[in-house]
Amino acid sequence: MQDKPGVLNRVAGLFRRRNFNIDSLVVGRSETPGISRMTFVVDGNARDVFQVQTQLDKLINITKIENVTDKPAIFRELALVKVAAGSANRHEVIQMAELHGAEIVDVTIDEMVVQMVAKPARVQSLIENLEHFGITEMVSTGVVALERAQRRVVGEPAPVAAQLNGSK
Amino acid sequence: MQDKPGVLNRVAGLFRRRNFNIDSLVVGRSETPGISRMTFVVDGNARDVFQVQTQLDKLINITKIENVTDKPAIFRELALVKVAAGSANRHEVIQMAELHGAEIVDVTIDEMVVQMVAKPARVQSLIENLEHFGITEMVSTGVVALERAQRRVVGEPAPVAAQLNGSK
C-alpha cells in the first residue's frame, strides 16, 4: 500500500463493514520507499479470503494483494514473553527456551524475558510450555510472510524490484 | 484492546481524523485471552504523542495505553530481506548477516533471504548494508516493545497478569 493518509483507515473500515475476523495485522516498510507492506491473518474459509482480496482490490492506494496461504513462503512470528521464574525454575525456563531455539533477552530475580522468532506453530508451542511457569506479559507481532526465493534455471534473469512492485 | 469488532476501525479512524503519522503498526495477541496488544510508532513530538494517548483513552474497548518511548523497554523488530546474491557475492552476504547477528533462512542460485530480529537501529543497519547487493523484496514488522523485567527487592511479591491488565 502507498504511504498515504487514510489507507489504514479504509482497510480497517472494510474489515469492519464486511465483518472479516482479523487474527493479526502488521504494517511495516517494504523494499520500496513510499510503499508499506501490510500482512494480516483473516480467520475464514477460502470463500471469505477470496472476498477479502476482491474487496481490497477496489480500494485506492493499494498496489498489490497476494494470498500466501498455500504459497511456498517463509512465515515468521516474533514474540517477547515475560515469564515468572526465580532461582527454583530459572534453569528450566532457559532449557525450554534453548529447546525451542529461543533466546533469553532479560532476567531479574523473579522474571525472565524470552524472545522467539519462528513459524507460528513453533512460537505457539513455546508459549504453551512457558504458561506452565506463568506468563506475566507478552507481545507478539502476528505473522509476516515472504515468498521463498525463486528456484530458477541458471542464466534466467533475476527479478527486479520494479517488476515485483508494479502498480495496478 | 479487547478483541471486539470495530476496535481497529475506531483506532485507524482516529489516526486519520487527527492526521497522526503512523510509521508502523502491529496487532497481535497478549498474555490475556480476548485482549490483543497493538504497538505503533507515531512520528511526532511529545505533544503529538500526548494527544494520541489522550484521544485513544476516549475510545471504547481500549483497556490500557502506555507510552514506552523513554521507558526501560525491550524494543524489537523482525525483518525478512530477500537479496540478489549469486556465487560471486553469496559469501559477502553471509558475512554481513553474521556480523549483524542475522540468519540466512533461504537460498537459491541467485537470491538469499536474510532474517533479522534486533533493535530497530540494528535492523536498519543491516538493511542499508544489504542494499548494496540489491534488495528484491522485504517485509518488516515494525517495532514491538515490552517493558523490561522489574528489578525488585528479593521477597517483594511479583506482579500477576491480572494486575498488569486491569481494565480502566
Side-chain angles (χ1 to χ4, degrees):
Chain A
M1 48 172 61
Q2 289 169 319
D3 289 343
K4 294 272 169 77
V7 190
L8 178 67
N9 191 26
R10 280 192 288 278
V11 173
L14 167 64
F15 291 160
R16 178 74 188 101
R17 282 194 309 279
R18 298 276 164 168
N19 275 318
F20 293 132
N21 202 356
I22 305 300
D23 277 347
S24 71
L25 183 142
V26 180
V27 189
R29 59 189 149 174
S30 74
E31 65 282 6
T32 312
I35 301 280
S36 288
R37 180 185 281 245
M38 172 187 281
T39 313
F40 63 90
V41 176
V42 58
D43 183 14
N45 57 31
R47 200 169 148 270
D48 297 330
V49 174
F50 181 74
Q51 274 287 317
V52 176
Q53 278 190 269
T54 311
Q55 297 295 326
L56 279 176
D57 203 40
K58 293 177 186 166
L59 298 183
I60 59 164
N61 301 134
I62 307 263
T63 54
K64 196 181 171 186
I65 306 160
E66 218 168 332
N67 176 5
V68 290
T69 311
D70 299 316
K71 289 213 173 152
I74 299 158
F75 295 93
R76 288 290 184 278
E77 181 174 359
L78 160 64
L80 293 169
V81 189
K82 198 182 285 174
V83 184
S87 56
N89 50 10
R90 199 176 290 137
H91 181 73
E92 221 182 324
V93 172
I94 293 169
Q95 197 175 49
M96 192 59 77
E98 277 173 1
L99 286 169
H100 281 82
E103 263 179 83
I104 308 293
V105 293
D106 196 28
V107 61
T108 60
I109 202 81
D110 53 16
E111 284 185 331
M112 299 175 92
V113 177
V114 184
Q115 168 184 304
M116 180 154 187
V117 182
K119 291 178 198 175
R122 281 185 54 80
V123 174
Q124 182 56 31
S125 162
L126 175 74
I127 292 168
E128 281 168 13
N129 278 294
L130 293 179
E131 270 165 3
H132 166 71
F133 303 98
I135 294 176
T136 50
E137 203 179 4
M138 178 170 88
V139 60
S140 155
T141 60
V143 193
V144 288
L146 193 73
E147 271 195 83
R148 301 195 81 85
Q150 285 174 53
R151 273 65 188 162
R152 259 184 301 277
V153 179
V154 186
E156 206 182 318
V160 292
Q163 287 169 358
L164 287 168
N165 281 291
S167 55
K168 290 189 297 185
Chain B
M1 48 171 61
Q2 288 170 320
D3 290 342
K4 292 273 169 76
V7 190
L8 178 66
N9 190 28
R10 279 192 288 279
V11 173
L14 167 64
F15 291 162
R16 178 74 188 102
R17 282 194 308 280
R18 297 276 164 168
N19 275 316
F20 293 132
N21 202 356
I22 305 300
D23 277 348
S24 71
L25 183 142
V26 180
V27 189
R29 60 190 148 174
S30 75
E31 65 281 6
T32 312
I35 301 280
S36 289
R37 181 186 281 244
M38 172 185 282
T39 313
F40 63 91
V41 176
V42 59
D43 182 13
N45 56 32
R47 202 169 145 272
D48 297 331
V49 174
F50 181 75
Q51 274 288 317
V52 176
Q53 278 189 269
T54 311
Q55 296 295 325
L56 279 176
D57 204 39
K58 293 177 186 164
L59 297 183
I60 60 163
N61 300 135
I62 307 261
T63 54
K64 196 180 170 189
I65 306 161
E66 218 169 333
N67 175 6
V68 290
T69 311
D70 299 316
K71 289 213 174 151
I74 299 158
F75 296 94
R76 288 291 185 276
E77 181 174 359
L78 160 64
L80 293 168
V81 189
K82 199 182 284 173
V83 184
S87 57
N89 51 11
R90 199 175 290 138
H91 182 73
E92 223 183 321
V93 172
I94 294 170
Q95 198 174 48
M96 192 59 77
E98 277 174 1
L99 286 169
H100 281 82
E103 262 181 82
I104 308 294
V105 292
D106 196 29
V107 61
T108 59
I109 202 82
D110 54 14
E111 283 185 331
M112 298 175 92
V113 177
V114 184
Q115 167 185 306
M116 180 154 186
V117 183
K119 291 178 197 174
R122 282 183 55 80
V123 173
Q124 182 57 29
S125 162
L126 175 74
I127 292 168
E128 281 167 16
N129 279 293
L130 293 179
E131 271 166 2
H132 167 71
F133 303 97
I135 293 176
T136 50
E137 203 178 3
M138 178 170 88
V139 59
S140 154
T141 60
V143 192
V144 288
L146 193 74
E147 272 195 84
R148 302 195 80 87
Q150 284 173 56
R151 273 66 190 161
R152 259 184 301 278
V153 178
V154 186
E156 207 181 317
V160 293
Q163 285 169 358
L164 287 167
N165 282 291
S167 55
K168 292 189 296 184

